[in-house]
Amino acid sequence: MDLFLWVLLAVLSLYLWLKEMNKDYFVLSFFAPRVKTKDGRPVESIAPVAKGKTIFGNGFDLYGKSDAEIFQHSRGHAKKIRSSYIEYGMGMALYNVIDPEVVELVLNDQNLITKSVIYDFLHPALRTGLLTSTDKKWHSRRKILTPTFHFNILAQFEEIFKAESLKFVEQFRGASEISISVSELIPRFTLNSICETAMGVKLDDMAEKGDNYRKNFALIEKRFLRRISNPFYWNNTTYNLFGAKEDKPMLKTIHDFSSEIIAKRRILLQDALKNRQNAHADADDDIYINKKQRFAMLDTLIFAEKDGLIDHQGICEEVDTLMFEGFDTTSMGLIFGLMNMSLYADKQELCYQEVNEFIDDDFSNLDINQIAKLKYLDCFVKETMRMFPSVPFMGRQVQRKTELANGLILPADTQIMLHVFDLHRNPKHWDSPNEFRPERFFPENSANRHIYSYIPFSAGQRNCIGQKYALLEMKTLLIVVLKQFKILPLVNPKHFVFNSGITLRTNNNIKVKLVRR
């Protein structure tokens, strides 16, 4: 009897303790600290709390879901809740943001530059380069790489974009009309472009290795999603024991490819510098404004290594990051851009007429200054990235308790997910958001729109360093294709099944028909 009373007392004490703890922690979500408000208002009055699928809060909401179901999970919450909302799971709070007012608070907060914990899942592939690093390391790398996007460097890159674009259409020479899969052809184009511009290495004799690189990175992305959907794999130790073994051959393929690129460029750069010295050139010329000599972004890293600002491992980190970001995100923008050209013949015609007005038939004046004059094409590309943002979500991690201007107090380790896809289709800020209308971006139509309702390249201090590069590449290929072909539709986006991923994915093979003008 005494034992029974002691057990009863222990159970009652545990219950009372857990009940008290539950005021500050979501106990069943593995003691996730609760979000609070500055003035004591209910949290739900600022940000509703999404109901979980199990008693463990939202910790197992994605467990067992397919890539498409993971994507639809967030879309469903955004449509139902219609505002930024909170989830709890796996020992942390998750603040899901779909309102531009909150996006502005997050992206402009100097203390919120650390990427979300899910970016740690990319460390085996990208290590800690510009995308995934934080604090002093991120500031240092950003400072090194920023000059590589100098106007004159971009102008040099435009020559490569033009050459690669002409090479792209050359493969259809002799065909009056042809159906193509842009899902298959565009990634090869963008990988070639990033390697020749940013890395200074042509892939002509490495085409097969480039294809293997893209294939293995797609597999790595599948593994990334596997970790996101399985809460047991969020822990690095657990994942390394039970899941990481399968990643090794894929990681070896992508790292070997980037290492070979670095080695090739070291040789080419050494030869170029030797030739300059032999020609009595001033070795101290400013490489960023010397128009006669082409320099790649990788050269900047190699010179920084010479100055002691970065080591070989650091160069590998940044090359892996630039390679991935430079080909994959731009690929998606171009795939959906060409698709939209095919679907909206009237808007394609407006782009074509504008291109004809400013760009010569032989492309001799196709340069960065002429491209800047193509205002409707610019709106067309922006509307494409609004509806189909290459990066559908971005994440930040709260390092210490942070108070936002909207009244929420976020505890340390809170994950903030900016759902760009939902932000760009938020009906509060976009009229008929599922309609494709480039005219939205005319100055008179966007003057009163919240500036943070559109962030395809992020914003604030961690905005995408290569956004001008990406836009230039996308517009160049669209110009060259439009000049030579009408683009006709072969797909219906109403039947698309989108997948979650590092970048926006769809199960559908996106095709268009090219008819020579």
Side-chain angles (χ1 to χ4, degrees):
M1 189 68 176
D2 289 343
L3 179 62
F4 172 77
L5 289 175
W6 278 110
V7 171
L8 181 63
L9 182 61
V11 170
L12 180 61
S13 299
L14 178 62
Y15 169 76
L16 292 174
W17 180 75
L18 289 175
K19 185 177 180 181
E20 184 66 25
M21 290 292 291
N22 204 51
K23 295 177 182 178
D24 295 318
Y25 298 88
F26 196 127
V27 172
L28 292 180
S29 285
F30 304 93
F31 289 87
R34 291 187 182 273
V35 176
K36 296 191 175 183
T37 59
K38 180 181 178 181
D39 55 11
R41 283 181 292 164
V43 169
E44 289 79 0
S45 65
I46 301 175
V49 177
K51 188 176 180 180
K53 301 291 185 183
T54 68
I55 63 172
F56 300 103
N58 308 101
F60 293 90
D61 284 2
L62 301 180
Y63 187 76
K65 290 187 180 295
S66 67
D67 297 352
E69 289 171 333
I70 293 173
F71 183 84
Q72 287 302 325
H73 173 77
S74 298
R75 308 294 78 76
H77 277 335
K79 186 175 181 179
K80 181 179 179 180
I81 300 174
R82 303 180 67 184
S83 68
S84 301
Y85 57 95
I86 295 168
E87 293 177 302
Y88 290 100
M90 304 312 298
M92 61 188 73
L94 179 62
Y95 189 21
N96 298 275
V97 178
I98 65 171
D99 299 302
E101 297 83 3
V102 184
V103 171
E104 181 176 15
L105 298 179
V106 172
L107 294 184
N108 285 328
D109 192 316
Q110 300 296 311
N111 296 317
L112 296 177
I113 68 166
T114 299
K115 292 295 184 78
S116 168
V117 67
I118 63 172
Y119 288 77
D120 293 352
F121 305 162
L122 293 175
H123 285 175
L126 301 183
R127 295 172 273 209
T128 51
L130 197 61
L131 176 66
T132 52
S133 60
T134 191
D135 295 332
K136 291 182 179 179
K137 184 172 185 178
W138 174 79
H139 283 287
S140 173
R141 298 289 174 83
R142 180 86 178 202
K143 186 176 180 180
I144 292 172
L145 287 168
T146 294
T148 65
F149 293 93
H150 186 282
F151 178 86
N152 287 333
I153 298 293
L154 290 176
Q156 290 183 356
F157 290 165
E158 171 55 24
E159 291 300 312
I160 297 173
F161 294 150
K162 181 166 67 173
E164 288 294 329
S165 297
L166 290 171
K167 188 189 303 182
F168 179 85
V169 297
E170 177 66 16
Q171 63 189 312
F172 315 126
R173 183 174 60 173
S176 58
E177 64 177 60
I178 185 172
S179 298
I180 66 170
S181 168
V182 290
S183 296
E184 295 174 3
L185 294 181
I186 290 299
R188 185 174 296 155
F189 164 81
T190 56
L191 184 59
N192 288 347
S193 295
I194 189 66
C195 284
E196 191 170 349
T197 54
M199 306 303 144
V201 174
K202 290 186 177 183
L203 290 189
D204 295 344
D205 60 344
M206 297 176 64
E208 185 177 348
K209 292 181 179 179
D211 290 342
N212 286 334
Y213 170 85
R214 292 187 292 105
K215 177 182 176 181
N216 279 274
F217 217 109
L219 294 174
I220 287 291
E221 187 170 32
K222 289 285 186 183
R223 308 288 293 174
F224 169 77
L225 287 172
R226 182 185 178 190
R227 290 195 70 177
I228 286 180
S229 62
N230 188 342
F232 298 111
Y233 279 168
W234 280 48
N235 180 272
N236 286 331
T237 302
T238 304
Y239 184 72
N240 289 335
L241 283 173
F242 299 105
K245 184 178 179 181
E246 297 174 41
D247 299 351
K248 290 182 179 179
M250 308 170 205
L251 292 170
K252 184 178 187 308
T253 297
I254 63 176
H255 290 153
D256 284 353
F257 181 71
S258 57
S259 293
E260 185 172 351
I261 292 288
I262 296 170
K264 281 179 175 289
R265 189 56 195 172
R266 284 187 185 276
I267 295 171
L268 291 171
L269 181 58
Q270 187 177 18
D271 290 343
L273 292 176
K274 187 180 295 183
N275 290 336
R276 287 177 65 195
Q277 290 174 351
N278 292 339
H280 305 291
D282 183 355
D284 294 325
D285 282 348
D286 186 345
I287 66 171
Y288 306 120
I289 61 173
N290 185 347
K291 298 180 182 180
K292 295 181 181 180
Q293 177 67 50
R294 179 179 293 167
F295 277 83
M297 297 180 197
L298 179 51
D299 298 343
T300 304
L301 295 171
I302 294 172
F303 284 127
E305 180 187 35
K306 184 179 178 181
D307 294 336
L309 301 175
I310 194 171
D311 57 14
H312 177 72
Q313 177 68 18
I315 292 177
C316 292
E317 291 174 341
E318 298 308 334
V319 166
D320 285 330
T321 299
L322 286 168
M323 290 274 287
F324 164 68
E325 288 197 288
F327 99 86
D328 200 37
T329 55
T330 312
S331 286
M332 301 316 299
L334 273 170
I335 288 168
F336 288 114
L338 287 165
M339 181 198 74
N340 283 334
M341 284 288 180
S342 76
L343 294 173
Y344 306 100
D346 56 335
K347 304 185 189 308
Q348 179 187 160
E349 182 63 21
L350 289 173
C351 289
Y352 173 66
Q353 294 297 336
E354 184 181 60
V355 167
N356 266 351
E357 180 182 353
F358 291 102
I359 306 299
D360 294 341
D361 289 344
D362 63 358
F363 302 107
S364 58
N365 70 335
L366 178 53
D367 60 26
I368 195 168
N369 294 311
Q370 288 300 103
I371 291 175
K373 298 176 182 178
L374 304 176
K375 303 301 183 184
Y376 191 80
L377 181 65
D378 182 63
C379 293
F380 187 98
V381 171
K382 285 179 177 177
E383 178 68 347
T384 295
M385 291 191 296
R386 180 191 70 81
M387 291 194 71
F388 307 103
S390 295
V391 182
F393 69 89
M394 304 168 189
R396 296 286 189 272
Q397 182 171 199
V398 178
Q399 294 295 94
R400 55 181 179 274
K401 185 167 73 173
T402 299
E403 180 183 320
L404 297 180
N406 64 355
L408 287 183
I409 298 176
L410 306 179
D413 297 326
T414 296
Q415 307 300 308
I416 305 175
M417 297 306 299
L418 309 178
H419 293 279
V420 181
F421 191 94
D422 299 313
L423 174 73
H424 284 186
R425 299 190 185 213
N426 190 328
K428 298 177 187 176
H429 299 272
W430 301 97
D431 178 44
S432 301
N434 294 321
E435 292 182 11
F436 184 80
R437 301 201 317 241
E439 295 76 14
R440 298 178 195 274
F441 289 93
F442 287 179
E444 62 271 21
N445 294 335
S446 54
N448 297 322
R449 187 182 301 131
H450 198 292
I451 191 172
Y452 285 85
S453 62
Y454 178 73
I455 55 165
F457 296 104
S458 189
Q461 61 181 331
R462 287 208 75 153
N463 68 334
C464 176
I465 194 173
Q467 57 184 293
K468 291 181 179 179
Y469 172 98
L471 289 171
L472 196 60
E473 181 180 1
M474 290 169 61
K475 291 176 182 178
T476 302
L477 182 63
L478 291 173
I479 290 166
V480 170
V481 173
L482 279 174
K483 268 283 193 179
Q484 300 190 29
F485 296 96
K486 282 187 177 179
I487 310 170
L488 303 181
L490 291 176
V491 297
N492 185 345
K494 291 181 180 179
H495 301 149
F496 281 6
V497 176
F498 287 106
N499 296 333
S500 279
I502 306 170
T503 53
L504 185 63
R505 301 294 185 199
T506 175
N507 288 337
N508 308 75
N509 182 10
I510 301 178
K511 298 181 177 181
V512 300
K513 177 182 282 189
L514 302 180
V515 178
R516 196 168 296 278
R517 295 186 185 274

